[in-house]
Structures are given as structure tokens and as C-alpha cells.
Amino acid sequence: MKIARRGMTREAIFDRLAEFRNHDIKWQEGRTYGYIFDPGKEVLEVGKAAYTAFLSENGLDFTVFKSLLRLERELAAFGATHLRGDRRVVGNFTSGGTESILLAVKAARDCYRERRPEITVPEMVLPATAHAAFHKAAHYLGVRAVTVSVDPETFRADVERVRSAITGNTIMIVGSAPSYAHGVVDPIAEMAALAQEHELWMHTDACMGGFLLPYFRRLGEPVPDFDFTVPGVTSISLDLHKYAYTPKGASLVLYRNKAYRRHQIYACSRWIGYTIVNNAVQSSRSGGPMAAAWAVLNYVGDDGYLEMARKKLAAVRTIADGIERIDGLRLLTRPDMCLISFTSDEVNVFHIIDEMNRRGWYIQPSLSFDNSPAHIHLSVSASNVGWEHDLLDNLAECVRVARTLPEGELTALIKGGLQGVDLSTISDTQIMDMMAAAGVADGSLPGRMADINGVLDALPAPVREKVLTAFVNDMFSQP
């Protein structure tokens, strides 16, 4: 495939781009409960204008683009204040939560290379609810992820299980505020005390809640301490492109002081060329997201965010209470924030999701893992406020319909055929044959995903990963 020999007209380009979006979710309608954090047209336009104004400025060299240095310092200072840190707290702007997490793990790894050089395979202890980005960081950075089960009732980290997982190679403990899957805050204070006891790095992953939870606390919610007021917390990740509603990608990684943050920075003088010193993973990076984040934060303002939080809190209570009243559904736990997880012991949740999608909603499937069953996830955003009763009415209807739908043949076959089978030897060809039987072919997905999700849910996690890798490898081929 080649670019056009003659340049396309502006009109033709944007017509084609609009065509590409024909099958995207219609997130502007307020019926999408995941991936999108929509603050409304007015705020979005401010973010876009600031983004494009700084689109060409390059964060590679902050001595040349001093505006970006100022923006980054002010954003990090905001994060430090918001998370109740003192003047010694420092931080940097990143492209998103995954980059913030990668940097925190890298900083911890390099810190302990100095402190405890005898550790050749460093380990970090992760509750089963810790975000997948920590496993990605472990994979990229040569750190071993040690996963421990969470409390089966509250889905919060179990401090005693964390304690039992600590070995002579442990360098880091991770807690969530809140966890993405269930929307609950881990016992950060107890985990940080454990980290102090063993002289370990303690990271609070507040990508989802670091911005919003302080507002919930101000509204009278019993938000447990998770920030820099907790002794022993070393670093915190905080996304702005979620509940601060700034354009993607915008996140912060913050450290208790410069002595810890020093291990994040990468410098290279071993080549013939310009000076390389990076405070994040990327070298060249547009100033657009940084300027947009600064603009949106200051445009909405503290009072505006507090009012948004008030409305979302009311919406979450309405939705959670409504789910508990629907026959066949149950909440996995009462959430601490705007993330709701619920399941059914009677009805296939993947059929419920398909039925909701048919009615114009996007709700997210979550596969079973450890002691958490397959369930439905909702991330409630500002744009979802006002849709609560429509959502619940449709959800009740979809549960009734889903009761009548059978389990997919391939799912039943996989479940029945797993005994005594070594799935670790499955080949990519066999995987693609299996996916084709579920309706996946040539990089396209079927209209209904229940059978595919059912197959994935029936497979052990390592095999799921193998299946997903083969599928994505096939999907991203030449059109």
C-alpha cells in the first residue's frame, strides 16, 4: 500500500478519516462505560486548542523549549500538592499510566542495584488486582512479578499474603488506589508499613483514583489514606487523562524526593550526536498533551472538579443500588470510586454484554482470574451522568434475554476437553483454527463476542496470552 501519488484534498482526507470511524463506538452519546473520559464539548475544545498550539514543540530538549519545562514542573507541583506531598516531592509528565508505572519500576530496580547489588533477579510483590502494566514492566525490565491473591470478599490486597511473598530478592511492593477491576482501595498504610519494615520500595498505583479520590474525601467519603501522607510510600502514579478529563496521553509519576527520582532518569553520552538525557521513556515527544493537561486543569478548576465528583458519586450509588435490585445480578463488592464490577451466578455475563452492545451501550467484559469470577466492569464518567436509569432498565432487559441464550458450542467443547490436555504446546495455526470456529477470521471480529470471551475465560491465563498474541499478530497485517 502506497501513499497517494498526488496529494489528496483536505476535504477528501477528512472524508476518508470520518469513514474510518464508522465502526467505532459512539462515545459522544454518553453510553460508553470504559476507555473514554468525556468532559463535554466545551472542556474538550479547550484541551484540543491547547494541544494543537503546542503540537510541534518537542520535549526532547527542555533547554530549547523552556515552555515545556515550565509546564511539566507546574503539572508535577500540582500532583505533589494534590497528593498531599511536601516541597521535596518531585515528578514528571508521561504519556499514560503504563509509562508512569514502567518508570517507577525502573527507578526501583536501579535504586536496588545500588543498594543491594547481590540481587540478580529482583522481585516485586503484586496483588492479583495490580494493573497488567506492572507485569509488562516486569517483562521489559527483567523484574520478577510475584502475584498474591486478594481478599475474596473485599478484593483488597491481603497484607499477610503480601508479607508471606517477600523474599531476599524482593525490592518493591505495589498497592492500588483503587484497583481497576473492582474499584477498591488497597490497605496502603499497612502495606507501606510492611515495606518500611523490610526496607522495600512502596508504590501506590493511583492512575485511576489519584485525581478523583481526594475530591470524594472532601465530599465526606471514607477514603483511606494512600498518598504521600502515608509513611513508606515511595512513588505514586496518577493519570490526568482519566478523571481529570485531559486529552490523552497525560499522566504523572511522582517520588517522595529527588534521591528516588534520580534512578528514573536516563542519560547517554556514548555516541556521536546530541546530548541524550530523558526524564521519561520517550525522547522526542509532542508538547501537545502537556499543554492540554495544564489548560484543562486550569479551565475546569477546583470547584468544577468537585461538582463533577459530586454528580459521579451520586450516579455510582444509583447504578450500584440498581444492579443489586436486578434478579440474577450481584455486585462483587461496593466500590470506593467510580468503578463498578458485577457478575451473575445464573446467567452468562458475556451474553449480557452482547445484548447491551446491541442496544448501543459499551460495557466491558472481564475474564475470571484468581478468586475473581468473570464479570462486567463499568467505569462511570462525567458523560455517563444522567443515563443511570436507562442503563439499569436496559440491563434488566438484557439479563432476561441472556437467560434464554445457550452457551456457545466452542466454549462448551473447550471446557469439556481441557482435562489432561497440555495446552502449552498449542500452535499458532491451531489457535487461528480455533478462533475461526468462533467466528474470527482475516482480522475481523463477529458481531457477538460471547463465544470468544467464553473460550478465553475457559483457558488458563498463559494459554489466553498465547491465543491473544497469535490473534493480534494476525490482525495487524497489511489491509
Side-chain angles (χ1 to χ4, degrees):
M1 189 171 183
K2 298 180 179 180
I3 62 172
R5 185 171 65 86
R6 292 185 177 180
M8 296 170 63
T9 65
R10 179 185 175 89
E11 182 181 28
I13 286 170
F14 285 96
D15 284 346
R16 287 292 301 279
L17 289 174
E19 180 187 327
F20 290 167
R21 300 168 78 173
N22 281 343
H23 300 292
D24 287 356
I25 55 173
K26 309 302 182 196
W27 57 266
Q28 298 89 342
E29 297 174 359
R31 292 155 66 95
T32 298
Y33 288 80
Y35 300 126
I36 295 295
F37 297 85
D38 177 15
K41 184 179 180 182
E42 186 176 312
V43 177
L44 195 60
E45 286 178 350
V46 169
K48 285 183 176 180
Y51 197 116
T52 55
F54 279 77
L55 180 67
S56 299
E57 275 69 18
N58 190 345
L60 172 62
D61 191 340
F62 42 81
T63 67
V64 175
F65 296 101
K66 294 180 181 179
S67 59
L68 300 188
L69 174 62
R70 180 170 181 177
L71 284 168
E72 185 159 4
R73 290 177 65 179
E74 290 198 11
L75 288 166
F78 155 76
T81 302
H82 198 62
L83 297 179
R84 301 189 291 182
D86 59 26
R87 293 281 300 174
R88 294 173 297 173
V89 170
V90 293
N92 290 103
F93 187 87
T94 76
S95 63
T98 295
E99 186 178 2
S100 291
I101 287 165
L102 280 165
L103 289 168
V105 175
K106 187 253 186 209
R109 183 199 67 179
D110 290 1
C111 176
Y112 281 81
R113 279 180 174 173
E114 286 187 6
R115 287 187 182 182
R116 299 181 58 192
E118 73 277 10
I119 297 177
T120 56
V121 183
E123 298 176 351
M124 60 178 166
V125 181
L126 305 175
T129 49
H131 196 278
F134 289 97
H135 295 272
K136 189 175 187 177
H139 177 74
Y140 283 1
L141 298 170
V143 176
R144 180 169 175 257
V146 179
T147 305
V148 296
S149 298
V150 295
D151 184 283
E153 298 296 325
T154 67
F155 295 99
R156 291 178 171 85
D158 185 317
V159 177
E160 290 310 308
R161 282 195 172 107
V162 172
R163 181 188 298 276
S164 67
I166 294 172
T167 72
N169 291 325
T170 305
I171 64 168
M172 186 178 197
I173 296 173
V174 172
S176 302
S179 60
Y180 178 84
H182 305 105
V184 294
V185 178
D186 285 333
I188 300 298
E190 292 89 338
M191 297 172 81
L194 184 60
Q196 282 188 306
E197 178 186 336
H198 292 270
E199 297 183 349
L200 303 174
W201 188 293
M202 175 69 203
H203 181 81
T204 300
D205 176 22
C207 285
M208 288 301 304
F211 184 82
L212 185 56
L213 284 172
Y215 287 103
F216 273 22
R217 184 185 291 118
R218 287 165 58 183
L219 292 170
E221 290 299 288
V223 175
D225 291 336
F226 65 89
D227 53 21
F228 287 114
T229 60
V230 179
V233 168
T234 315
S235 57
I236 304 178
S237 46
L238 182 164
D239 282 2
L240 300 175
H241 61 213
K242 292 187 171 74
Y243 287 106
Y245 299 104
T246 72
K248 291 180 172 58
S251 179
L252 296 171
V253 57
L254 300 150
Y255 299 88
R256 189 168 286 277
N257 56 52
K258 290 179 182 178
Y260 292 115
R261 200 264 302 274
R262 176 173 66 85
H263 300 284
Q264 170 188 298
I265 296 168
Y266 176 77
C268 179
S269 292
R270 305 176 197 183
W271 79 306
I272 300 172
Y274 57 87
T275 300
I276 288 285
V277 56
N278 300 141
N279 57 21
V281 173
Q282 299 177 81
S283 289
S284 287
R285 52 178 178 157
S286 169
M290 203 181 300
W294 187 94
V296 168
L297 285 170
N298 286 287
Y299 183 75
V300 176
D302 190 57
D303 289 347
Y305 283 118
L306 186 63
E307 184 58 26
M308 282 186 183
R310 193 188 314 277
K311 291 177 180 178
K312 283 179 291 196
L313 181 57
V316 168
R317 287 173 175 164
T318 298
I319 294 169
D321 291 345
I323 287 169
E324 290 189 318
R325 290 193 295 268
I326 296 175
D327 183 36
L329 297 184
R330 65 179 175 90
L331 291 175
L332 289 179
T333 186
R334 295 292 298 197
D336 292 327
M337 216 184 76
C338 293
L339 311 174
I340 301 172
S341 57
F342 61 100
T343 191
S344 176
D345 301 316
E346 307 167 15
V347 185
N348 185 321
V349 294
F350 302 129
H351 280 319
I352 297 172
I353 292 168
D354 279 348
E355 288 299 313
M356 287 292 283
N357 288 346
R358 285 185 60 207
R359 289 159 177 79
W361 302 92
Y362 174 78
I363 57 177
Q364 196 172 61
S366 293
L367 305 180
S368 58
F369 181 73
D370 198 69
N371 54 17
S372 181
H375 62 274
I376 297 169
H377 174 91
L378 305 177
S379 292
V380 181
S381 183
S383 61
N384 304 131
V385 172
W387 287 94
E388 299 92 317
H389 296 292
D390 287 341
L391 172 77
L392 292 167
D393 289 346
N394 276 228
L395 188 58
E397 177 189 350
C398 290
V399 171
R400 290 192 293 271
V401 173
R403 284 184 187 276
T404 68
L405 300 175
E407 185 172 68
E409 292 182 10
L410 184 58
T411 303
L413 181 64
I414 292 291
K415 286 182 177 178
L418 287 179
Q419 299 299 322
V421 177
D422 181 9
L423 290 171
S424 65
T425 61
I426 191 169
S427 68
D428 283 4
T429 299
Q430 290 171 313
I431 288 171
M432 295 317 298
D433 288 345
M434 180 176 70
M435 297 301 281
V440 178
D442 300 323
S444 61
L445 296 169
R448 298 184 70 92
M449 292 289 290
D451 205 19
I452 292 171
N453 284 320
V455 167
L456 290 171
D457 195 60
L459 295 172
V463 183
R464 287 179 193 167
E465 292 167 357
K466 199 169 184 179
V467 169
L468 291 167
T469 299
F471 169 66
V472 172
N473 195 33
D474 183 70
M475 173 176 275
F476 284 88
S477 302
Q478 292 190 35

